[in-house]
Amino acid sequence: MKISDVVAFVGHQVHVCRYREAGTLLDWMGDDLRGRKVLDVAGGDGYWAGQTRRRGAFAVSIDLARGKMEYGKTLANPPALIECDALKLPFQDGSFDAILSVCAIEHFDDGGTSLDEMARVLRPGGQIFMSADVLSRADAWPKLRDAHKARYHVQHTYTHESLARLMDERGLDLVRHSYQFRTAAAERLYLSLSTYGGKVGFNAAAPLAPLVAATDAKAPNERGSIVLVQARKRG
């Protein structure tokens, strides 16, 4: 294994939430992606798109962070990496069978336009697998909320209901959803790590991931820090 892959593994998978978040979306996509064209929107270095390539997909990752994409080219399973704006995708209508987007929509000034583009390049019957910041209880901790939003450039937050409405307007039907960091304690942990720990803190807290998953399993699936959704484009 190359050093770049080790670093990417640590950055993406040794993390209190990212592996479970993106891993769940990949599980929803399925283990056998042979013959499917997958687009990762705002995929950074393309690591997660690369995981779909390992499952047989023809994978494309788009982003505006050229440095991250240059790094992504050094990984063992790099997808096609294209520098472009998520609000103006350079692909024809119906070009992809599936779209992946890991906690990206909350960073866009206009989430609706990003969904317009995702829906446009998705074929009828194709599916979107997406996560987004919710921060359901963030108003209880305004300093943590504001620091998180400033540090990670969070423009908007979403629930599964608000995403379902936006998607419905664009010919997409919500298939399922799942919240992570569902309890108040878990959500405060998430905000505290993002505010004070950053990537180092999230990685250092990785041993807590099974505990968070266990508490999530016992809590109602109605709110949390992050929401995952799967939606299908109407025929």
Side-chain angles (χ1 to χ4, degrees):
M1 181 180 289
K2 298 191 296 185
I3 293 298
S4 57
D5 286 283
V6 174
V7 173
F9 180 91
V10 172
H12 290 285
Q13 297 205 33
V14 182
H15 195 287
V16 73
C17 67
R18 195 66 74 211
Y19 175 71
R20 187 162 67 102
E21 176 187 359
T24 299
L25 295 175
L26 289 173
D27 286 345
W28 288 356
M29 292 179 78
D31 291 331
D32 186 357
L33 300 177
R34 287 175 295 180
R36 299 181 67 188
K37 296 179 180 178
V38 176
L39 173 66
D40 188 357
V41 175
D45 60 13
Y47 178 85
W48 294 113
Q51 300 309 299
T52 71
R53 184 184 173 196
R54 289 185 64 187
R55 299 181 183 201
F58 172 75
V60 178
S61 179
I62 68 100
D63 206 289
L64 286 173
R66 182 176 298 181
K68 289 183 179 180
M69 289 190 291
E70 290 294 334
Y71 183 81
K73 292 177 182 178
T74 70
L75 301 179
N77 293 286
L81 293 151
I82 298 176
E83 183 180 356
C84 68
D85 189 346
L87 305 186
K88 194 174 181 180
L89 297 173
F91 307 113
Q92 294 182 348
D93 296 357
S95 296
F96 294 92
D97 301 296
I99 292 177
L100 175 68
S101 185
V102 182
C103 263
I105 191 173
E106 65 265 27
H107 305 301
F108 302 140
D109 291 335
D110 189 343
T113 298
S114 70
L115 281 172
D116 284 339
E117 284 294 273
M118 290 186 218
R120 180 183 66 78
V121 302
L122 188 65
R123 68 165 177 80
Q127 298 188 77
I128 290 179
F129 303 85
M130 172 189 291
S131 59
D133 264 7
V134 185
L135 310 179
S136 298
R137 302 177 181 87
D139 290 347
W141 312 292
K143 290 184 179 179
L144 293 177
R145 175 201 63 204
D146 294 344
H148 173 86
K149 288 186 173 182
R151 184 167 190 169
Y152 293 98
H153 311 290
V154 175
Q155 305 298 318
H156 306 281
T157 56
Y158 300 89
T159 64
H160 75 281
E161 291 103 334
S162 64
L163 284 172
R165 287 192 294 270
L166 287 171
M167 289 176 167
D168 178 63
E169 293 168 357
R170 291 156 177 83
L172 300 162
D173 294 319
L174 186 68
V175 174
R176 58 178 157 180
H177 74 277
S178 180
Y179 284 91
Q180 296 187 351
F181 295 85
R182 296 178 186 177
T183 68
E187 187 154 8
R188 185 161 190 173
L189 170 68
Y190 176 81
L191 286 171
S192 297
L193 287 171
S194 70
T195 299
Y196 300 115
K199 182 176 287 189
V200 172
F202 275 123
N203 288 344
L208 296 175
L211 177 61
V212 173
T215 60
D216 280 356
K218 296 178 181 179
N221 186 27
E222 58 188 25
R223 60 180 175 174
S225 294
I226 301 168
V227 65
L228 286 61
V229 299
Q230 176 183 351
R232 181 179 290 110
K233 186 174 179 179
R234 297 175 200 135

